[in-house]
Each structure stands twice: as structure tokens, then as C-alpha cells.
Amino acid sequence: MIIDFHVHCFPDKLAPRAVSQLAATAGIPPRVDGTISGLKESMKKAGVSKSVVLSIATKATQTENINNWSAEIQDEEIIAFGSIHPDYGDWKRELFRMKDMGIRGIKFHPDYQQFFVDDKKMFPIYETAFGLGLIVVFHAGVDIGLPAPYHATPERLEKIVRTFPGCKVVAAHMGGFSFWDDVERFLVGTDIYLDTSYSLDFIDDKQAKRIIKNHDLKKILFATDSPWMDQGEAISKLKGLNLGEEAENAILGLNAKALLEL
């Protein structure tokens, strides 16, 4: 079973405009059209069994609608996480509602949502989410197309892991896109999951292998950041690291299966 732990989709009516705008901002051409049907076609072609759709509430008013859509799109192939905007006042009720709707986790993008990941104002939200058993995914490092300051660096994420030991935290983009040395300094060996989304083409193979080797193998998750990376090509890239069959199987699906309690 191959599980892609980090993809993005939009409702059919919104997908063309959303993907076009994001592509223009980042200067990255999409590999699929950003719809659920487009993702499923990609999954079938690449041999991916399940994908985790991560959505972001960039405005407080989007929070409930995004979570409703996330619950609606879930099926045998799609697992969808919800989102909480930091300025959404009724966040505690919404977290409980997400749990009741069968949503397994939350995605935060501190750059888009304009907060530093280790800002203590966020800690009550994190604590409640972790208490409900929810997985919390953070965009980490540089977001291509957005300027500094970067709100979720490895050093800041290490503070979250230290403050909430034993909780389910995922740092996207191998712990911090373009902050690879800081990933090794602050995150490798800690109790945090690293996903491979949109990273393996940009990090030196030797450093990627070193991070994986020195981190807990059970906490490395295959991910693509689709529609910005082709799922089949990402699988080939991971296999090209020659990590061995046991490590490949763990990263491509077994680790996510355990984390998601499938």
C-alpha cells in the first residue's frame, strides 16, 4: 500500500482559478488539475492507494466550509484533514466537530495564516487538538513564492515537539524546505514526523539519506505536494535513493498506515 501523505485539492468550481493563481505565485506548473477526480486519476496511474488531502483556511471565515468539504470528500481513497485559522474564535467547538465528523488531523500553514508556529497564543489550540488525538501537520521552511520571514523553521518546530512530547506532529517538506542543515541540527532524532513532499528533487541525495538514516525510520512519510509534483515521479525519486526494501515499504505506506490507524 502506497499512501501519499500530502496533497492539495479544491472543489471542482474553485480548482481552475485556485491552481492558476497558486501556480503564478510560485512559478510552478501544476502536474494535475487540482480536483479530486484528477487526483484519483494520478493515484491510479502511480499505484497510490490513499492520499491525504490537506486544505488551508487562509481566512477565519473559511474554516467551517473547508472542514465540511473535507468531511464530504473522504472515501476509500481519500483521507482529508481539516484546518483551523488562528483568528477563528470558536476553534475549540470546531475541533470537537471535526473529530465527530471523522477528520483525523489538521493542516496549518503559518506563512499563509500569518503566525509563528511557536507563538504561545497557538498552544491552547495545539493542546486541544492533541488531546483529541488529531494529527497536526505544519508547512515547514520556505514556501516558494512567499517572502521572508518564514514562520515555521526547524528551530521553531523543535520547540513544539519539546512542549508537546508524544503528540502527533508532522513537519512537511522534510522538516523545512531549504532549511536542510537546520533540520539535521534541530529536528533529526526528535519525536516528529517528516514528510517528503516537494523536497527530494531539491535536497542533495546524500543529505536526504543521512536525514532518513539518523531519524526514526518510522517517522518518515512519503508525500508529494500534488498537484505540484507528479506522484509517479516522486515514488521513483524515493526508490532512487536505494534505501532498501524495508525502508521503502515503511516510508511509502506502512508508517502512514500506523499513524492514521488504518
Side-chain angles (χ1 to χ4, degrees):
M1 175 187 287
I2 297 177
I3 300 174
D4 186 342
F5 205 86
H6 185 143
V7 304
H8 300 288
C9 290
F10 306 90
D12 288 354
K13 291 183 179 179
L14 300 180
R17 180 164 57 91
V19 170
S20 177
Q21 289 178 347
L22 289 168
T25 298
I28 303 171
R31 305 303 297 274
V32 292
D33 65 6
T35 65
I36 294 295
S37 60
L39 171 64
K40 288 186 174 182
E41 290 177 13
S42 171
M43 291 169 63
K44 184 177 181 180
K45 181 179 178 181
V48 174
S49 300
K50 297 180 185 293
S51 289
V52 180
V53 175
L54 305 177
S55 298
I56 301 296
T58 57
K59 300 177 181 177
T61 54
Q62 297 173 339
T63 300
E64 291 185 34
N65 287 338
I66 283 176
N67 294 333
N68 290 339
W69 183 73
S70 296
E72 290 170 5
I73 63 174
Q74 296 199 104
D75 58 26
E76 290 299 312
E77 297 174 279
I78 302 298
I79 296 166
F81 283 12
S83 186
I84 295 288
H85 192 281
D87 295 332
Y88 181 74
D90 204 5
W91 56 263
K92 183 173 289 188
R93 181 194 66 82
E94 188 66 6
L95 285 171
F96 277 87
R97 191 175 78 93
M98 290 164 61
K99 179 72 173 182
D100 289 342
M101 291 192 295
I103 293 175
R104 293 176 170 90
I106 311 169
K107 169 71 182 293
F108 289 105
H109 196 309
D111 293 328
Y112 281 128
Q113 296 177 313
Q114 289 294 299
F115 70 93
F116 286 99
V117 68
D118 57 343
D119 189 330
K120 290 186 178 180
K121 75 176 184 180
M122 297 297 296
F123 284 16
I125 300 177
Y126 300 159
E127 185 174 18
T128 302
F130 293 138
L132 290 169
L134 297 174
I135 302 164
V136 175
V137 181
F138 293 105
H139 167 85
V142 173
D143 187 292
I144 299 173
L146 294 182
Y150 302 112
H151 295 76
T153 60
E155 184 175 6
R156 291 180 183 276
L157 285 164
E158 190 270 338
K159 296 177 185 177
I160 302 302
V161 178
R162 188 173 65 245
T163 304
F164 300 97
C167 294
K168 301 173 182 177
V169 181
V170 180
H173 313 298
M174 286 296 284
F177 190 87
S178 290
F179 282 80
W180 317 124
D181 291 344
D182 280 356
V183 170
E184 293 194 83
R185 180 181 178 188
F186 295 106
L187 295 182
V188 166
T190 68
D191 190 21
I192 195 169
Y193 289 85
L194 309 178
D195 87 26
T196 67
S197 59
Y198 205 80
S199 296
L200 297 183
D201 281 345
F202 301 92
I203 184 173
D204 179 79
D205 285 359
K206 290 182 180 179
Q207 187 168 31
K209 293 176 74 170
R210 190 168 64 241
I211 289 172
I212 293 169
K213 178 181 178 181
N214 291 333
H215 199 54
D216 183 349
L217 177 61
K218 294 180 180 179
K219 293 185 179 295
I220 306 291
L221 306 168
F222 170 72
T224 66
D225 210 13
S226 175
W228 312 116
M229 182 166 282
D230 179 82
Q231 290 181 309
E233 292 176 9
I235 292 169
S236 296
K237 180 64 178 180
L238 178 69
K239 290 184 175 181
L241 293 177
N242 296 314
L243 300 169
E245 184 177 0
E246 180 180 355
E248 285 180 5
N249 289 339
I251 295 168
L252 285 171
L254 294 179
N255 294 344
K257 182 179 180 182
L259 177 58
L260 293 164
E261 299 180 354
L262 299 178

